[in-house]
Amino acid sequence: MALLISTNISSPAAVVEKNSGVLTEGMYDLLIKIIVLIGLPIGAFGTAGNIVNIIVYIKMGFAESTNISLMALACSDLGVVVTAIGTELVFFLPVVEGVSIAPEVSFTLVAFPHLILTRVSALITAFISLERRSKMWRESNRGDKKRLEQATDASQSAFSNKETSKETKAIKMVVVIATVFIISSIPSCIHIVVVMVFPDFDITGPYADIFIVSGNAFFVVDTINCSANVIIYYKMSSKFRQAAQGVLRFKCLQLRRQGT
């Protein structure tokens, strides 16, 4: 397949066709189509899921600092998913329709914002993990003192155990979120290392086709990571589950009323 390669990165119009690459035209087209067919449904689910996350956390309120952080993460993840879908479509359209799109144009419009938003999500995830770890350490120090004070009060002791159980569940949820993020980040990190070690491995080099295919595949992995949080929240947070069920019931009632 003829890859569109710009000879002047400052001029999107300066585009020439270059038939370089390792993959055959048929193999390149097939891989791009497979990636898009996998990525688009996941992206649609992730878009809907993160919109639900945002609505639910707005409903839950921001009395707890964790809700603010998770709300910010949902906004960032929504941007990651949307830009990943845009990137997949940018490289899918030339395959299907024969549309000529300059690499620097697609990079500026969707790929670069996607990379920025993935870094933002990474920072927010790290912040949530550190905040929860710090809170756990503070609660641990206070716990010893409270246990001594409440040793003779059964009701207070039961309340303390309930609060500890909630905190433990919250910590487990944050650990799962961080674990999913770390695992999904490994392919992109490998991709970055390869780019640094082999300068020719980029969108304008002799291995541009492999670069595009692998990059789009890793964007799908990013999409999976950003789409998984709604499932994690629903399974591991009773507050989120109750709020989400309330939002969905409200939406269903609205649709029924509109239908009648």
Side-chain angles (χ1 to χ4, degrees):
M1 176 182 178
L3 297 175
L4 295 176
I5 307 298
S6 172
T7 57
N8 182 359
I9 201 70
S10 64
S11 175
V15 177
V16 297
E17 290 189 352
K18 184 177 181 180
N19 294 315
S20 63
V22 177
L23 302 174
T24 63
E25 179 180 351
M27 180 60 69
Y28 177 88
D29 292 353
L30 177 62
L31 290 174
I32 290 294
K33 289 177 181 177
I34 291 174
I35 291 170
V36 172
L37 290 175
I38 294 173
L40 288 182
I42 297 173
F45 174 81
T47 300
N50 280 294
I51 291 174
V52 169
N53 289 343
I54 293 170
I55 294 173
V56 169
Y57 279 112
I58 290 175
K59 182 179 179 180
M60 291 173 64
F62 305 113
E64 297 181 11
S65 59
T66 303
N67 288 357
I68 299 174
S69 302
L70 293 175
M71 167 74 171
L73 182 61
C75 293
S76 179
D77 283 350
L78 178 61
V80 171
V81 172
V82 171
T83 52
I85 293 173
T87 304
E88 291 162 9
L89 291 176
V90 161
F91 290 102
F92 181 66
L93 290 176
V95 171
V96 177
E97 303 292 342
V99 180
S100 298
I101 302 176
E104 64 270 21
V105 173
S106 62
F107 181 80
T108 302
L109 293 179
V110 285
F112 184 71
H114 176 86
L115 295 174
I116 295 297
L117 288 167
T118 53
R119 302 304 184 271
V120 172
S121 290
L123 290 174
I124 295 173
T125 302
F127 174 78
I128 293 172
S129 301
L130 290 173
E131 180 191 38
R132 184 55 57 178
R133 179 66 183 88
S134 175
K135 186 175 181 180
M136 182 179 68
W137 181 78
R138 292 196 303 269
E139 292 295 331
S140 177
N141 290 338
R142 293 173 185 171
D144 296 333
K145 190 178 294 184
K146 284 184 178 180
R147 277 190 289 270
L148 292 174
E149 294 174 353
Q150 299 172 355
T152 58
D153 193 328
S155 61
Q156 289 186 359
S157 179
F159 177 78
S160 178
N161 291 336
K162 185 178 179 180
E163 290 298 313
T164 302
S165 177
K166 288 182 179 180
E167 187 65 23
T168 301
K169 290 179 179 179
I171 292 170
K172 287 181 179 179
M173 187 180 75
V174 171
V175 169
V176 172
I177 293 171
T179 302
V180 171
F181 171 77
I182 291 171
I183 293 173
S184 63
S185 298
I186 292 174
S188 295
C189 292
I190 294 174
H191 195 259
I192 293 172
V193 171
V194 173
V195 170
M196 294 174 63
V197 174
F198 302 100
D200 289 338
F201 187 68
D202 62 16
I203 201 167
T204 60
Y207 307 104
D209 50 1
I210 296 180
F211 179 89
I212 292 172
V213 169
S214 60
N216 277 275
F218 297 151
F219 278 16
V220 173
V221 177
D222 291 339
T223 304
I224 294 172
N225 169 54
C226 295
S227 303
N229 284 345
V230 66
I231 300 175
I232 296 172
Y233 300 158
Y234 191 85
K235 289 289 186 181
M236 303 190 70
S237 173
S238 58
K239 286 184 178 180
F240 180 91
R241 184 163 54 251
Q242 292 172 0
Q245 289 172 350
V247 170
L248 293 175
R249 280 196 295 267
F250 178 74
K251 293 297 181 183
C252 288
L253 287 173
Q254 280 188 323
L255 293 174
R256 287 179 182 176
R257 288 174 182 174
Q258 290 175 359
T260 56

